[in-house]
Amino acid sequence: MIYFVTSNKGKYAEAQAIFGDIVQKDIGYAEIQADTLEEVAIFGMKEVAARLPGRVMIEDAGLFVEALKGFPGVYSAYVQKTIGNPGLLRLMEGQENRLAYFKSVVAYAEPGMEAVMFSGEVHGQIGFEARGSKGFGYDPIFYVGEVSLGEMEIAEKNQISHRAGSMRALKKWLDRR
Ligand code: ITT
């Protein structure tokens, strides 16, 4: 049994669709201010592994907008909480370059081993309006082709998403051992 330490139900639902038998643990951990998702994940994993001996995984994700030089990136959670999707759409007003990507970094550890990490990305565009009420976070304003992630069922999002990429890579690694 693997514990997925996250406060985010949407993330958990997506991961569960890939792994099956995982358990959500909403115990929180310190997310340091760092330049990369990898650093945030490594640091978080140290704390989580110490507090929860067993098979554990955590995941850190971010939205990187090209016209905003990668913002909100590692600050995605804070930006979502403060200005939210309407605020990000406002920042993008008048911007022709809508290119953006999501990145996910998952870290996994079990007692007696170094943590391993896997990442995934999905490239798309920031739309001009929010669409759809499925998913969570930035999903309604992130479009792949004509469709926003907020309009996709989990199964559809999991065909293309950053999280599906990182989690499938971890699953493959676990299955091959
Ligand atoms: P944790 O407890 O797992 O940290 P979190 O929601 O804080 O949950 P992150 O720090 O990894 O997760 O996420 C950063 C922000 O990006 C946060 O506001 C998320 O809602 C958003 N986000 C992450 N993955 C997303 C996705 O697949 N679709 C839309 N928004 C996403």
Side-chain angles (χ1 to χ4, degrees):
M1 181 65 78
I2 298 174
Y3 290 118
F4 182 14
V5 177
T6 178
S7 62
N8 186 318
K9 283 199 189 91
K11 275 189 183 184
Y12 174 68
E14 291 172 20
Q16 207 192 19
I18 290 168
F19 281 94
D21 60 343
I22 56 173
V23 171
Q24 181 181 8
K25 281 269 177 196
D26 185 2
I27 58 171
Y29 57 90
E31 290 198 24
I32 56 159
Q33 201 163 324
D35 291 340
T36 65
L37 299 175
E38 283 84 356
E39 287 170 89
V40 178
I42 287 179
F43 190 88
M45 183 48 99
K46 287 204 173 110
E47 180 186 331
V48 165
R51 283 169 54 200
L52 199 66
R55 307 177 71 196
V56 287
M57 67 186 203
I58 61 173
E59 188 239 16
D60 198 43
L63 173 68
F64 298 78
V65 181
E66 191 170 283
L68 305 178
K69 302 190 185 335
F71 183 84
V74 292
Y75 307 109
S76 293
Y78 183 72
V79 169
Q80 179 61 229
K81 238 182 299 173
T82 51
I83 62 173
N85 291 342
L88 195 61
L89 287 179
R90 229 172 292 128
L91 283 180
M92 292 296 284
E93 267 170 25
Q95 263 316 331
E96 267 171 43
N97 177 4
R98 315 292 297 189
L99 294 176
Y101 66 93
F102 274 113
K103 180 171 175 178
S104 156
V105 173
V106 63
Y108 169 87
E110 55 187 51
M113 67 167 260
E114 281 276 306
V116 288
M117 277 195 302
F118 300 90
S119 67
E121 290 181 9
V122 57
H123 290 250
Q125 304 212 350
I126 303 300
F128 292 91
E129 57 173 18
R131 251 179 23 202
S133 54
K134 296 169 183 143
F136 61 92
Y138 298 98
D139 280 342
I141 61 166
F142 186 90
Y143 289 66
V144 177
E146 298 300 307
V147 183
S148 85
L149 291 183
E151 297 176 299
M152 295 184 190
E153 302 291 344
I154 285 179
E156 275 176 278
K157 184 176 170 186
N158 272 353
Q159 304 257 337
I160 54 170
S161 86
H162 51 310
R163 179 159 303 105
S166 64
M167 301 260 164
R168 283 218 183 79
L170 169 59
K171 186 170 191 304
K172 214 180 213 176
W173 183 84
L174 289 166
D175 289 347
R176 282 204 182 136
R177 281 195 307 165

